[in-house]
Amino acid sequence: MEKNYPLNRLNTWKIGGLAEAVYWPQSMADLSTVWQRAQAAKTPVWLIGRGSNLLLPDEGLPGITLVTTSLRAIEWGEYSVQVEAGYTLARLSQEAGERGWSGLEFARGIPGSVGGAVMMNAGAHGGEMASQIISVTTLWADGTVKKLERADLEFAYRFCSLRGNAWVVEAQIGFSPGDREQILRLMKENISTRALNQPLEKPNAGSIFRNPPGDSAGRLIESAGWKGKKIGGAQVSEKHANFIVNTGDAKTMDVLALIEAISRDVQSKFGIKLQTEVAYFGEARGARYEARIEGEQSSQNT
Ligand SMILES: Cc1cc2nc3c(=O)[nH]c(=O)nc-3n(C[C@H](O)[C@H](O)[C@H](O)COP(=O)(O)OP(=O)(O)OC[C@H]3O[C@@H](n4cnc5c(N)ncnc54)[C@H](O)[C@@H]3O)c2cc1C
């Protein structure tokens, strides 16, 4: 357990104040025990994977912040894998590709954890997690651990029905036989496309807004004239308008102000209300954002 730990080390935006306490559970049982103790003591608990889709507050986080990155056990089966929540999705995708297993080609450039990817139903290049999931082992608010089959879960664009209700501790992911060279080539192409189109050289958290039906958030934001615009240390990327980069000293409030200003402007210019994809922990501008597992629906919209 680390006390007063800088949150900027726990997210790809490299933003955030101090966490009161950070703990990296070493096993599913460890995670469950810490969770139950915190519940009993009424201590707030926050869960972070690789922090690649997450904005953390300038004022820090009270209670315990749990980081899943040590939950990395993996067991390869016959065209399937049982893998703990903290395993890196991109690594899993590469390792499956090396075996000639097809299914996670889309995920090679997504910098999240397996648990975060299930929860966000991460997707790209026409693929998404929901299509590959066989089952998910979950931890619920009352401490129970349940294995849920794919049919028990609902997924939609960047949505999983577990959100705000339970944590993902492990997932079983399925593949189909494929051509190793073709899979690896496709992954390489996907990565090159990203390097061309995304501002990977600066700290960011992927897409800020979900694409509205039939349109692209990036196109709308660019058309509204936001490319390159800055508030404090947060800047709308020159490369991709749906990315906000940290130019060095960005604060959470800068990012939130930029998100709010873009939303308002896009709505007034195009009549479209953009919804955020990035998760936010904390309180801002009168709204409370929920990312814990106390049965409340999470609200990610700024
Ligand atoms: C450069 C870049 C490119 C990206 N490209 C894509 C892309 O192409 N497609 C895409 O979908 N996303 C993309 N992302 C966003 C991000 O990588 C994914 O959403 C990823 O799945 C988030 O996983 P994470 O472990 O980083 O989650 P975090 O950012 O740590 O957490 C995000 C949310 O998930 C919750 N969470 C994390 N782990 C768990 C768990 N085990 N159980 C329950 N809840 C959990 C957190 O509490 C939080 O609410 C990109 C991000 C970056 C920085």
Side-chain angles (χ1 to χ4, degrees):
M1 182 92 66
E2 297 251 6
K3 295 273 165 77
N4 297 319
Y5 190 87
L7 287 172
N8 62 15
R9 293 194 198 151
L10 299 178
N11 69 93
T12 54
W13 242 325
K14 303 193 192 303
I15 302 182
L18 294 179
E20 190 179 344
V22 176
Y23 184 66
W24 290 260
Q26 299 297 308
S27 65
M28 288 197 281
D30 191 16
L31 173 68
S32 173
T33 307
V34 176
W35 164 247
Q36 286 181 64
R37 279 196 197 140
Q39 282 279 86
K42 298 204 181 328
T43 306
V45 182
W46 310 90
L47 188 75
I48 298 183
R50 303 199 76 83
S52 63
N53 203 30
L54 193 55
L55 184 60
L56 297 168
D58 293 323
E59 59 275 19
L61 287 175
I64 301 183
T65 300
L66 297 175
V67 186
T68 64
T69 49
S70 294
L71 299 175
R72 286 191 300 240
I74 184 162
E75 214 180 302
W76 295 91
E78 181 79 0
Y79 290 109
S80 76
V81 69
Q82 186 79 25
V83 58
E84 281 185 349
Y87 206 84
T88 313
L89 182 66
R91 180 172 170 190
L92 181 68
S93 153
Q94 179 69 28
E95 288 171 351
E98 304 277 359
R99 287 164 188 252
W101 294 9
S102 177
L104 281 188
E105 290 88 330
F106 74 89
R108 180 61 184 79
I110 302 180
S113 65
V114 166
V118 171
M119 199 49 98
M120 302 298 297
N121 188 18
H125 315 289
E128 60 176 12
M129 288 307 289
S131 319
Q132 303 309 130
I133 289 168
I134 299 172
S135 66
V136 177
T137 308
T138 51
L139 174 65
W140 291 74
D142 62 3
T144 52
V145 173
K146 278 186 226 165
K147 184 173 171 187
L148 302 173
E149 300 302 322
R150 170 67 183 81
D152 302 325
L153 300 164
E154 277 173 47
F155 289 97
Y157 172 56
R158 303 294 175 267
F159 169 83
C160 168
S161 50
L162 292 170
R163 190 152 199 122
N165 298 316
W167 288 340
V168 173
V169 287
E170 196 177 61
Q172 190 183 8
I173 292 169
F175 299 87
S176 49
D179 179 295
R180 181 178 180 276
E181 299 317 314
Q182 211 175 313
I183 294 169
L184 295 178
R185 196 174 336 114
L186 181 57
M187 287 181 177
K188 241 181 163 171
E189 280 169 20
N190 289 345
I191 285 188
S192 308
T193 311
R194 278 171 188 272
L196 277 179
N197 300 325
Q198 300 181 353
L200 304 183
E201 59 290 344
K202 294 205 182 113
N204 71 80
S207 298
I208 300 296
F209 296 99
R210 294 152 199 256
N211 288 323
D215 210 332
S216 117
R219 190 196 72 78
L220 292 165
I221 299 166
E222 185 171 350
S223 308
W226 282 92
K227 256 193 175 175
K229 293 269 169 68
K230 261 180 112 175
I231 294 185
Q235 181 178 34
V236 177
S237 163
E238 302 269 11
K239 224 172 179 182
H240 192 314
N242 199 20
F243 280 61
I244 291 178
V245 296
N246 177 358
T247 59
D249 56 355
K251 299 274 174 246
T252 309
M253 278 302 152
D254 301 336
V255 176
L256 286 173
L258 205 43
I259 288 175
E260 214 171 87
I262 293 170
S263 292
R264 218 180 308 117
D265 195 40
V266 165
Q267 179 149 33
S268 83
K269 287 188 171 132
F270 307 109
I272 294 173
K273 174 105 190 85
L274 291 175
Q275 308 283 317
T276 47
E277 179 174 324
V278 165
Y280 175 63
F281 288 179
E283 286 179 285
R285 293 159 203 266
R288 181 154 188 271
Y289 298 86
E290 184 55 57
R292 285 176 265 162
I293 54 168
E294 294 166 334
E296 286 175 51
Q297 280 303 309
S298 57
S299 161
Q300 312 289 326
N301 300 332
T302 51

